[in-house]
Amino acid sequence: MSAANFTAEIVAPPDLTAKRSWRSVKSAIMTGLMIASVVAVALPLVAVVWAIFSRGMAVAFHGFPHFFVDEIPVIARKAGPGMGPAILGTLLATGAATLIAVPLGVAGAVYLHEYGVKNRFSRLVRFMSNVMTGVPSIVMGLFIYVTWTLRFGYSAFGGALALACLMLPVVIGATEQMLKLVPNHLREASYAVGTSKSRTILSVVLPAAMPGIISGSLLAVARAAGETAPLLFATGAATEYNPNLFVEANTALSLQIFGNATSSFAAAQDRAWGAALTLVLLTFVITLVARFVTARFARRR
Amino acid sequence: MNEERIDLRGQREYSDRAFAKITAGAAGLVLLILGLIAFTMTRRALPVFGEMGTKFFTSTRWSPPDDLFGALPFIWGTAFTAAIAILIAVPISLGVALFMTQVARPGLARPLIYLMDLLAGVPSVVFGLWGVLVLSQFFDLGRSFLTAGIILAIMIIPIITSLAREVIDTTPPGDKEGALAMGTTRWEMITETVLPHSAGGLVGAVMLGLGRAMGETIAAALVIGSALGQITLRALAPGNSMPAVIANEWGEAQDLHKSALIALAVTLFAITIMVNLVATGIVQRSMKRGQGT
Amino acid sequence: MPLEDVKQKPEGRPMIRIPTQAPAKHDGPAPGPATQPSVVFNLDKLEVYYGAFRAVRDVSMQIFKNEITAFIGPSGCGKTTVLRCFNRMHDVTPGARVAGGLRYHTADLYGPNVSATEVRRRIGMVFQKPNPFPKSIYDNVAFGLRSKGIRSKSEIDSQVEKSLRGAALWEEVKDRLRASALGLSGGQQQRLCIARTIAVGPEVVLMDEPCSALDPVATAHIEELMRELKQNFTIVIVTHNMQQAARVSDKTAFFTTEVDAKFGLRTGTLVEHNATEKIFSNPSDERTERYITGRFG
């Protein structure tokens, strides 16, 4: 076949440009809608953060450190700081809750993963723990009211109990995840030199899982610090400082925000914004620490 | 040959066994607490059922001074605000999830995740504060079902989005590439492969969001308006929901009133647990199916 | 039996040439009736089940003190499964069950009241892939000592040094005992694992393919180490490398697999167990001969 047999047709190159069709327009519209939803998420977040900072900054940092230290004005109409007792109350209740929930949660997760991985008891506990994460916090609060507050009165500790109940399933879940990540050959190495199971868990497994457990627990702490409903029924509404964990009603930042939000007095509302800023900063710091721990853990591996 | 007598019994086994028992006990706490909640709360709720019987659920009259407790308006309110929240949150969550998994460059997903985490980290009461002092002033929304629905939507978007992302990510890349190779647009690829594959899991994610919306107390309590006896579709009307009425009326409640509020809590408990159970089941089954392919 | 006699089968077909490093085996007093080594393990029809499936059957043999015994055989023949019986490692595998007789000196390893932890203090194990703890070199070796209850720092210090010397690692790490063990090379990590094992003062050291993850130089180090360790410990080694077994061991046990009709899976069983020279030059069982020649075929 010689070249002469090929017809010299003028053939245009294939047209590969994008077509303006309804289909491609529709796809573009949909992509636009997706972007719009991202904006729709960013908007309220920005709006809320903006409101907190713009309204809360002036209140919280005016005449620093008064807002964080002074007592709460008993008369709502009265302008001026502070939220000291609420900050203390939040720290007391959240701190006590952490001391209760984290060791118990870690211990429970240890059982679930190291001792009874497949047995029926473990599967039931795991399932119920999942269910428990969905219990509304108000139900937890009422539960503590019925079982504790009625007997022992309002106190920061009652609030701590309620918060601990909320935190427990979260800590169990996060810890179990971390335990799963500890490779089995580490456990075998420990058994092989004549180490008991409990010692293996305490000296090898838990230290290896610790950074993840810490960061998971911190996230649970951050959530607990912001809870209101459980404290409504267990902690009360004091306005004075009460450093006593167990005796007498106390207060917390979340409770104060709740109480002041519906007040008709601007002064009380201002204090609510200041408290909201304080709470958000506290939560933010805790979350940052949690992320920092996770990052260090990742780097070390 | 002189064989020594080997003693393999070992000491200090007690602490090992005690450790095992302690951890088992800690695990059992979960069951204990849940059981106690169910038991003690139901017991406290009984008096009001003695007074009202099943009319507790069907009557619309809620009048504590007259010892009349009809919870229907609040059950309606819970359902109504949750429905509004879902209507708003689901399209947005789905849009964000799809954006993060199908459209965005890999580097863009990270900051978006942080954004979501930030949103999830804002305490409920702060959202309520913002809702009551800012949002309700805007657009004359006032304190109403709609305002509550909007706040709830904002709060459940992070949950639905993160779950939806997980489910969507189980779509086999091969399916997606196959669709694209046939000349589909991106949106067509999504509707042909991603959505059908993830449908079950997405339903589960939505239901989990629903459960959360129903149980969310404080934000709702602050913005819903605390009106009595309204079963209406007027979203702009002030209303009430189960958690809101419990939070708002608890302070001054006496005996039978308290029992009625506890009964509301038990009802809420039962409903949210059922929704969560069904949702978790759906999500788990869908994930398992997704990974099986 | 003098070495020369075993080099050739009567038919004149050479089986395998014993490498000239082998004379190390004969450094000690030649075995004779007066110095018959004592029995450390006595296995009597040992079986291992995973659930209902019998993975290993009919293993009967004796392991002698201060010798290196090698388990060889095709993959899946149960050599590691049998090894893990010696230190009760199957306890941590759910569904695993050991049946039959396994005596450690006069004690029944699987008898009632036997503490697995106590067993493992006397019978240590080195694994296929080096698995040091994510701790310092010092803490890795000290770990077993602390588990034993030793608290005195000076005692731990001296034991750590002794064990690291015993594992031929001391000179390389003595200046960085506090550094992380994960920074060592593969061969060093494995020697650290050996140090960690001997620190506890066991009588027996089990080795599950200890060199399979290592390069030839590191392997040679470990083999040389094994010959030294033999003087103070009894060693049982599982290896898929026949030359290694021939180089290092005094006794060799050959395992193989048979198809289990019920499950369609393969059950492992012991074929032959004898002095290494005999196994490699004049095996009694035809399956052993096939395996050994097959490798060179």
Side-chain angles (χ1 to χ4, degrees):
Chain A
M1 279 273 238
S2 72
N5 288 355
F6 284 116
T7 331
E9 270 184 61
I10 313 291
V11 180
D15 180 7
L16 294 173
T17 59
K19 297 288 178 301
R20 264 302 159 83
S21 68
W22 166 235
R23 283 170 56 203
S24 55
V25 169
K26 183 161 123 182
S27 185
I29 293 180
M30 286 305 173
T31 307
L33 282 179
M34 288 187 235
I35 298 181
S37 17
V38 175
V39 173
V41 168
L43 271 179
L45 180 65
V46 170
V48 172
V49 172
W50 171 254
I52 297 175
F53 274 85
S54 65
R55 298 180 193 217
M57 273 293 226
V59 178
F61 289 99
H62 176 76
F64 183 82
H66 279 296
F67 184 76
F68 302 103
V69 174
D70 287 4
E71 291 200 355
I72 304 172
V74 181
I75 304 173
R77 186 199 325 228
K78 175 161 169 242
M83 275 288 161
I87 298 179
L88 179 65
T90 296
L91 291 175
L92 278 178
T94 313
T98 308
L99 285 174
I100 299 173
V102 172
L104 286 176
V106 170
V110 161
Y111 176 80
L112 288 181
H113 186 73
E114 306 287 330
Y115 284 95
V117 192
K118 283 286 170 59
N119 68 29
R120 268 150 112 229
F121 177 63
S122 295
R123 274 185 289 158
L124 184 64
V125 170
R126 232 175 256 128
F127 183 71
M128 286 303 168
S129 179
N130 219 324
V131 167
M132 208 166 154
T133 57
V135 173
S137 52
I138 194 170
V139 173
M140 232 25 126
L142 275 176
F143 166 61
I144 293 296
Y145 177 82
V146 161
T147 49
W148 180 271
T149 314
L150 279 185
R151 256 173 273 244
F152 301 103
Y154 287 101
S155 66
F157 186 70
L161 281 180
L163 293 180
C165 287
L166 284 177
M167 287 172 70
L168 186 66
V170 178
V171 174
I172 291 182
T175 306
E176 213 189 338
Q177 284 281 71
M178 290 301 132
L179 290 178
K180 282 196 190 145
L181 289 180
V182 176
N184 241 351
H185 63 72
L186 283 182
R187 295 183 182 85
E188 288 202 329
S190 177
Y191 292 140
V193 291
T195 310
S196 67
K197 188 162 188 173
S198 56
R199 214 197 149 93
T200 299
I201 294 174
L202 290 171
S203 305
V204 176
V205 181
L206 281 181
M210 199 45 73
I213 295 178
I214 292 179
S215 73
S217 307
L218 281 177
L219 293 176
V221 173
R223 188 191 147 192
E227 287 285 347
T228 318
L231 299 178
L232 265 180
F233 306 99
T235 298
T239 48
E240 298 170 349
Y241 267 102
N242 183 359
N244 192 318
L245 183 60
F246 294 95
V247 180
E248 284 220 29
N250 217 316
T251 185
L253 284 169
S254 46
L255 287 175
Q256 287 298 321
I257 300 173
F258 183 62
N260 286 6
T262 45
S263 166
S264 35
F265 299 115
Q269 292 177 1
D270 282 343
R271 278 191 288 277
W273 284 112
L277 176 64
T278 314
L279 187 57
V280 165
L281 283 177
L282 179 66
T283 315
F284 189 58
V285 165
I286 298 179
T287 315
L288 267 185
V289 174
R291 299 242 171 267
F292 175 70
V293 171
T294 313
R296 261 194 83 210
F297 174 55
R299 217 181 304 140
R300 224 196 322 144
R301 295 219 138 238
Chain B
M1 265 283 132
N2 246 344
E3 291 273 3
E4 29 162 331
R5 275 223 58 223
I6 304 276
D7 180 4
L8 292 178
R9 272 170 310 171
Q11 318 98 313
R12 290 180 263 121
E13 290 289 304
Y14 314 112
S15 62
D16 204 42
R17 254 178 307 189
F19 186 79
K21 290 212 169 67
I22 293 176
T23 55
L29 262 185
V30 169
L31 302 178
L32 179 69
I33 295 177
L34 271 181
L36 267 181
I37 295 179
F39 178 69
T40 56
M41 303 273 281
T42 316
R43 209 163 59 111
R44 289 277 170 168
L46 286 178
V48 80
F49 286 116
E51 267 291 304
M52 301 282 305
T54 50
K55 280 216 292 231
F56 181 76
F57 296 112
T58 55
S59 161
T60 57
R61 282 205 63 197
W62 180 274
S63 175
D66 307 312
D67 275 352
L68 277 174
F69 299 104
L72 195 57
F74 310 131
I75 300 180
W76 164 252
T78 304
F80 191 33
T81 47
I84 296 178
I86 291 287
L87 268 168
I88 301 177
V90 170
I92 296 182
S93 295
L94 192 57
V96 176
L98 283 174
F99 179 79
M100 280 162 79
T101 52
Q102 312 300 327
V103 178
R105 274 187 311 272
L108 197 52
R110 268 296 226 48
L112 281 178
I113 298 181
Y114 281 144
L115 192 76
M116 286 294 171
D117 282 347
L118 273 177
L119 199 60
V122 177
S124 163
V125 69
V126 173
F127 272 123
L129 177 72
W130 179 73
V132 103
L133 292 182
V134 177
L135 187 64
S136 52
Q137 320 294 358
F138 247 60
F139 311 128
D140 257 338
L141 281 175
R143 297 165 65 180
S144 62
F145 287 117
L146 183 58
T147 323
I150 297 178
I151 297 282
L152 288 180
I154 299 177
M155 293 179 67
I156 64 177
I157 283 177
I159 312 167
I160 303 183
T161 308
S162 97
L163 257 170
R165 252 185 51 237
E166 264 186 58
V167 174
I168 290 175
D169 270 338
T170 64
T171 313
D175 287 10
K176 295 193 290 187
E177 287 167 7
L180 286 175
M182 289 194 290
T184 57
T185 61
R186 182 196 281 126
W187 177 247
E188 283 166 355
M189 179 267 285
I190 291 177
T191 47
E192 293 298 313
T193 60
V194 174
L195 290 182
H197 176 92
S198 323
L202 288 177
V203 168
V206 168
M207 286 189 74
L208 273 171
L210 177 70
R212 180 79 196 277
M214 291 196 296
E216 210 13 273
T217 310
I218 293 305
L222 284 173
V223 277
I224 199 164
S226 307
L228 248 35
Q230 300 248 33
I231 300 197
T232 170
L233 272 173
R234 278 171 38 227
L236 281 173
N240 225 328
S241 69
M242 286 189 279
V245 80
I246 299 175
N248 286 325
E249 292 193 2
W250 183 261
E252 279 141 20
Q254 313 287 343
D255 314 305
L256 196 61
H257 191 183
K258 273 206 167 80
S259 165
L261 293 177
I262 294 185
L264 279 181
V266 174
T267 314
L268 186 63
F269 183 48
I271 297 180
T272 47
I273 291 214
M274 268 192 300
V275 170
N276 276 328
L277 277 180
V278 174
T280 313
I282 296 180
V283 173
Q284 276 180 354
R285 215 175 312 138
S286 141
M287 297 290 272
K288 246 184 269 178
R289 230 188 301 129
Q291 279 149 8
T293 42
Chain C
M1 225 201 302
L3 199 54
E4 293 67 27
D5 286 359
V6 308
K7 270 209 193 122
Q8 301 233 344
K9 267 193 115 180
E11 295 82 73
R13 215 186 332 129
M15 299 302 288
I16 114 175
R17 243 182 317 121
I18 317 257
T20 45
Q21 285 129 311
K25 281 192 284 251
H26 300 272
D27 270 353
T35 52
Q36 178 73 16
S38 63
V39 175
V40 174
F41 288 112
N42 203 323
L43 287 76
D44 182 21
K45 289 213 173 57
L46 185 72
E47 299 185 315
V48 181
Y49 290 83
Y50 291 125
F53 166 58
R54 187 169 64 170
V56 167
R57 70 164 183 85
D58 276 327
V59 180
S60 304
M61 55 154 62
Q62 291 179 327
I63 309 280
F64 294 96
K65 195 170 170 65
N66 290 127
E67 284 188 348
I68 301 180
T69 304
F71 288 359
I72 62 172
S75 42
C77 65
K79 31 192 212 293
T80 298
T81 308
V82 173
L83 191 78
R84 288 165 78 94
C85 292
F86 291 138
N87 68 344
R88 296 279 299 252
M89 259 315 184
H90 287 297
D91 287 11
V92 305
T93 310
R97 185 170 63 93
V98 175
L102 175 49
R103 288 199 166 268
Y104 169 62
H105 293 288
T106 52
D108 179 6
L109 264 187
Y110 286 84
N113 292 332
V114 168
S115 150
T117 309
E118 191 60 40
V119 169
R120 296 179 193 133
R121 286 199 188 117
R122 300 158 182 267
I123 303 168
M125 179 176 259
V126 176
F127 296 85
Q128 183 170 356
K129 194 162 169 298
N131 54 6
F133 301 122
K135 299 177 195 275
S136 69
I137 296 173
Y138 182 93
D139 284 330
N140 261 275
V141 185
F143 187 80
L145 295 166
R146 294 196 180 111
S147 295
K148 257 177 111 166
I150 300 177
R151 298 261 166 258
S152 140
K153 184 171 187 310
S154 54
E155 163 112 35
I156 296 185
D157 281 350
S158 79
Q159 290 283 16
V160 166
E161 179 176 339
K162 185 163 159 239
S163 312
L164 285 171
R165 283 188 191 281
L169 190 59
W170 174 253
E171 291 301 321
E172 289 165 61
V173 301
K174 66 181 178 194
D175 295 323
R176 44 176 174 140
L177 289 177
R178 304 287 165 180
S180 166
L182 300 176
L184 297 173
S185 73
Q188 288 172 322
Q189 284 187 11
Q190 194 64 305
R191 274 179 283 150
L192 177 63
C193 293
I194 294 177
R196 177 176 69 185
T197 308
I198 63 181
V200 181
E203 182 186 351
V204 180
V205 176
L206 307 171
M207 297 191 171
D208 185 4
E209 304 203 33
C211 302
S212 65
L214 305 177
D215 64 74
V217 176
T219 301
H221 282 152
I222 304 260
E223 286 184 12
E224 190 179 320
L225 184 56
M226 281 167 60
R227 292 188 199 102
E228 283 171 35
L229 289 173
K230 183 173 78 161
Q231 295 165 38
N232 296 317
F233 303 94
T234 304
I235 299 182
V236 183
I237 169 173
V238 165
T239 177
H240 63 263
N241 180 343
M242 281 202 302
Q243 289 156 300
Q244 179 172 76
R247 281 195 292 269
V248 168
S249 65
D250 302 299
K251 301 272 193 329
T252 300
F254 170 65
F255 293 79
T256 191
T257 57
E258 298 162 343
V259 182
D260 176 316
K262 184 151 71 127
F263 285 88
L265 298 168
R266 310 190 74 95
T267 301
T269 187
L270 174 66
V271 174
E272 195 174 340
H273 172 230
N274 218 317
T276 300
E277 299 102 330
K278 175 138 195 329
I279 293 275
F280 282 99
S281 61
N282 188 16
S284 314
D285 194 299
E286 159 189 21
R287 289 172 286 180
T288 319
E289 184 178 331
R290 255 190 282 137
Y291 180 71
I292 293 180
T293 49
R295 269 314 182 87
F296 287 102

